[in-house]
Amino acid sequence: MIRAVVFDLDYTLAVPERDRTTILEEAAAAADAPALSREAYLEAHRRNLTRETREPIFEELLDEHGADVDPAAVAAAYRESIAEALAPLPGVEGMLDDLRRHYRVGLLTNGPVRAQREKLETLGWERAFDAALVTGELEAGKPDRRAFRAILDELGVDPGDAVYVGDEIEADVRGATETGMRVVQVLRPETAPDERAVAHVSQFELAATLPATLAELDEA
């Protein structure tokens, strides 16, 4: 029996309406920093999942360039641009409300505390979940089992009674399944289905298809 449904945030429930590579380039330019690659940013982000802000991420990137630029300035410019560009996927707000009538609903998102909490504030989702955790507040980020156990503890459920919904193969699919949760993989246009997930839903059809998918899993 499914007692709880836990969601990832970025690219699962909400997406930026502008390309993140462009946003990163503009944030660097606004702070008079050298051009920073999206790939390097993502690698540094994975090394800093339990931070308060993105400043350590940009400090690493700027050090690699030998740039004498305040990482806080780049972090602030990037955070503001991302928050402004973020928008919910079609229908997800109503879906979350409906799901909470049947399940405990949680959020577990990778990233620095300030950045991810500000996204929730911008979206107006501070009260959209029964529990919402950012890995910057925890001792480990996804795919570490400790991150998933933290949200399960907040929701008061066992892994076998919870479903995780996310788009990233390593952080979400692998991490949740290794914790003992069932996973519904959100398929972005560029990603392929992972066999470890018990079901797959298209990103832009999430709200329309997930409730029925959960009902089917509950009956299995």
Side-chain angles (χ1 to χ4, degrees):
M1 179 178 178
I2 298 173
R3 295 181 55 213
V5 183
V6 183
F7 290 90
D8 173 45
L9 176 59
D10 295 283
Y11 296 100
T12 294
L13 293 175
V15 296
E17 295 181 310
R18 299 175 59 227
D19 179 72
R20 285 208 178 193
T21 298
T22 301
I23 293 173
L24 178 60
E25 292 171 351
E26 291 175 352
D32 294 322
L36 304 173
S37 79
R38 175 73 176 156
E39 292 75 16
Y41 172 85
L42 291 175
E43 290 177 6
H45 186 276
R46 283 189 283 268
R47 293 191 292 270
N48 291 277
L49 295 177
T50 57
R51 301 286 192 164
E52 177 69 24
T53 72
R54 288 192 181 94
E55 290 180 29
I57 297 172
F58 286 108
E59 185 174 5
E60 282 190 27
L61 297 177
L62 293 169
D63 284 347
E64 290 174 5
H65 286 270
D68 185 18
V69 177
D70 183 5
V74 188
Y78 188 66
R79 183 181 67 250
E80 292 168 6
S81 295
I82 286 290
E84 290 173 0
L86 201 64
L89 284 166
V92 298
E93 292 169 314
M95 177 196 70
L96 292 173
D97 287 340
D98 290 341
L99 290 179
R100 290 182 74 180
R101 297 189 180 99
H102 306 283
Y103 313 102
R104 299 278 285 164
V105 176
L107 179 82
L108 177 64
T109 175
N110 266 351
V113 178
R114 187 173 179 186
Q116 299 305 90
R117 289 292 177 191
E118 190 166 301
K119 290 176 184 177
L120 292 177
E121 291 173 9
T122 300
L123 291 163
W125 288 359
E126 300 100 315
R127 300 178 184 273
F129 306 93
D130 295 298
L133 293 181
V134 176
T135 60
E137 303 160 337
L138 307 176
E139 60 181 340
K142 299 183 294 183
D144 194 296
R145 296 178 188 181
R146 289 173 291 177
F148 292 95
R149 287 171 180 156
I151 190 63
L152 292 170
D153 288 345
E154 286 288 319
L155 294 170
V157 298
D158 294 325
D161 296 328
V163 171
Y164 193 84
V165 183
D167 68 294
E168 291 195 16
I169 291 175
E170 281 299 303
D172 299 327
V173 178
R174 181 172 75 83
T177 54
E178 290 182 354
T179 308
M181 303 172 71
R182 284 176 285 178
V183 176
V184 174
Q185 182 186 4
V186 176
L187 296 176
R188 296 164 63 178
E190 69 274 17
T191 58
D194 189 286
E195 63 182 11
R196 290 169 293 189
V198 296
H200 307 87
V201 295
S202 172
Q203 184 185 54
F204 283 90
E205 296 176 357
L206 175 70
T209 58
L210 182 63
T213 298
L214 293 172
E216 291 174 5
L217 292 175
D218 220 0
E219 294 171 359

